[in-house]
Amino acid sequence: MYKKFQQTRVNMKLTSKGRYAVMALADLAQFNSVNPVPLRDISLRQGISLDFLEQIFSKLKKHNIVKSIRGTNGGYILNKEPVEIKLANILNAVDEKVKTVQCKKESKKGCNSKTSKCITHNLWDELEVHINYFFEKKNLEDLISNTSESRN
Amino acid sequence: MYKKFQQTRVNMKLTSKGRYAVMALADLAQFNSVNPVPLRDISLRQGISLDFLEQIFSKLKKHNIVKSIRGTNGGYILNKEPVEIKLANILNAVDEKVKTVQCKKESKKGCNSKTSKCITHNLWDELEVHINYFFEKKNLEDLISNTSESRN
DNA sequence: TATATACTTGACTAATTTAGTCAGGTATGT
DNA sequence: ACATACCTGACTAAATTAGTCAAGTATATA
């Protein structure tokens, strides 16, 4: 008899969806002229399934990162300057939240530090801060102007 | 007809196995007296399945992070001083390598930067460095001496 | 106004991974 | 001798990922 999964997974996702979102927006930023860019173009250039792109852009639009123009010769354009679009915004939009789970069952037992259970509590907090700092720091402009390394 | 999964997942794992390994070793470091600590004790204190702990400690032992003492009153002890055991070592031992995949099919097509495909290439590299730096910096001693925040 | 083009929505699913369990061992101290 | 501890590997339910598929709706241009 197998137990059900405990709620133990670490919520630190960075999967294809997030990476594709960043890739696609970087592509969009590069071709961000007066004309809107159709998803089909991005799909071909980046090798990402059109259907998957549509899912992703639907979320990006809801978060006001891009706006869409319908009809023939329509497509997507950035809703802000590349420098204003942080990677944190992008990943957040597609549900790739970087968030570490501290305790095994924090909602049930709380994190009572009288046992040694939560010795790693601070650690995961710090890690979360550390990673989020990276994504807060970077924006789309950083990506397209390929200034390689920079401030750290 | 569904296509097979592309090799697209990001290899940035930090799951229960890694977290448990860190928790267990932090526990071990705290109770690291002359006597070896049996896994059963850690299991009870940290609420981790004994069977799962055995899997984890088997790997930790192979990587010389702990050593085992068999027989009655046996158990595990750290093989080095806590300050010498970096979190990077621990996570590496249990196969939780922090490593981001740069390109979709780097082995097949290579990363030819004439297209805009690899615009995010550097990004994931930098992220990998950024995260690994965190784990290289932290050691077990940092965890048990609860000096909260510190150098960043 | 017809129609092609483009976006929109949501249900669906194979492949993969995670988080363990289970079973049967082997070694060692008292 | 035997209890206690470690050791090994096969196994699997649940969850997630990475999309596919289908059926739309909106809009620009001819």
Side-chain angles (χ1 to χ4, degrees):
Chain A
M1 191 78 70
Y2 284 89
K3 243 203 301 188
K4 280 198 176 182
F5 261 23
Q6 305 284 106
Q7 182 201 340
T8 51
R9 73 175 290 280
V10 170
N11 211 2
M12 194 173 84
K13 300 194 293 178
L14 181 57
T15 60
S16 286
K17 189 176 283 186
R19 287 190 305 127
Y20 284 171
V22 173
M23 281 171 70
L25 284 176
D27 181 284
L28 189 54
Q30 280 192 310
F31 292 87
N32 195 33
S33 55
V34 277
N35 300 323
V37 179
L39 290 190
R40 165 190 283 272
D41 289 4
I42 297 178
S43 168
L44 291 176
R45 278 197 295 263
Q46 305 296 333
I48 305 170
S49 140
L50 181 58
D51 285 317
F52 203 23
L53 274 179
E54 284 177 350
Q55 276 184 40
I56 291 169
F57 272 77
S58 167
K59 293 185 176 189
L60 293 175
K61 191 184 173 188
K62 268 181 198 137
H63 284 74
N64 297 315
I65 294 172
V66 295
K67 57 186 169 190
S68 67
I69 293 169
R70 297 189 153 208
T72 309
N73 297 325
Y76 283 98
I77 51 177
L78 294 179
N79 205 17
K80 303 172 189 171
E81 291 302 308
V83 74
E84 292 179 290
I85 301 177
K86 295 183 288 188
L87 294 196
N89 303 143
I90 299 172
L91 296 178
N92 181 61
V94 296
D95 283 334
E96 306 256 348
K97 290 174 189 168
V98 174
K99 193 165 195 188
T100 53
V101 170
Q102 294 98 2
C103 306
K104 200 172 175 186
K105 292 179 185 174
E106 65 177 339
S107 58
K108 296 224 167 173
K109 296 186 177 179
C111 176
N112 49 354
S113 53
K114 57 185 174 182
T115 71
S116 65
K117 250 183 183 170
C118 291
I119 198 170
T120 55
H121 184 122
N122 287 336
L123 178 68
W124 310 124
D125 267 353
E126 288 178 45
L127 175 60
E128 187 178 322
V129 169
H130 183 77
I131 296 176
N132 280 322
Y133 177 69
F134 182 84
F135 289 125
E136 286 287 334
K137 214 176 50 182
K138 291 275 180 192
N139 58 54
L140 270 190
E141 183 67 36
D142 293 333
L143 285 186
I144 56 179
S145 65
N146 211 355
T147 47
S148 217
E149 54 257 276
S150 47
R151 55 241 156 79
N152 185 31
Chain B
M1 189 78 70
Y2 285 89
K3 243 203 301 188
K4 280 199 175 181
F5 262 23
Q6 305 283 106
Q7 181 199 341
T8 52
R9 71 175 292 279
V10 171
N11 211 2
M12 194 174 82
K13 300 194 294 180
L14 181 58
T15 59
S16 286
K17 189 174 282 186
R19 288 190 304 128
Y20 284 171
V22 173
M23 282 171 69
L25 284 177
D27 181 283
L28 188 55
Q30 279 191 312
F31 292 87
N32 195 32
S33 56
V34 277
N35 300 322
V37 179
L39 290 190
R40 165 191 283 271
D41 288 4
I42 298 178
S43 168
L44 290 175
R45 278 196 295 262
Q46 305 295 335
I48 305 170
S49 141
L50 181 58
D51 284 318
F52 203 23
L53 274 179
E54 284 178 351
Q55 278 184 38
I56 291 169
F57 272 76
S58 167
K59 293 183 176 191
L60 292 175
K61 192 184 173 188
K62 268 181 198 138
H63 283 74
N64 297 314
I65 294 172
V66 296
K67 57 186 168 189
S68 67
I69 293 169
R70 296 190 153 209
T72 309
N73 296 325
Y76 283 97
I77 52 178
L78 293 179
N79 205 18
K80 303 172 188 172
E81 291 302 307
V83 75
E84 293 179 289
I85 301 176
K86 295 183 289 188
L87 294 197
N89 302 143
I90 300 171
L91 296 178
N92 181 62
V94 296
D95 284 333
E96 306 256 349
K97 289 173 190 169
V98 174
K99 192 165 197 188
T100 53
V101 171
Q102 294 99 1
C103 304
K104 200 170 176 187
K105 292 180 185 173
E106 64 177 341
S107 59
K108 298 223 168 174
K109 296 187 177 179
C111 176
N112 50 352
S113 53
K114 58 185 174 183
T115 70
S116 64
K117 250 184 183 170
C118 291
I119 198 169
T120 56
H121 184 123
N122 286 335
L123 179 68
W124 310 124
D125 268 353
E126 288 178 44
L127 175 59
E128 187 179 322
V129 168
H130 184 76
I131 296 176
N132 280 321
Y133 177 69
F134 182 85
F135 290 126
E136 286 287 334
K137 214 176 50 182
K138 291 275 179 191
N139 59 53
L140 270 190
E141 183 67 36
D142 293 333
L143 285 186
I144 56 179
S145 66
N146 210 355
T147 48
S148 215
E149 54 258 274
S150 46
R151 57 241 156 80
N152 184 31

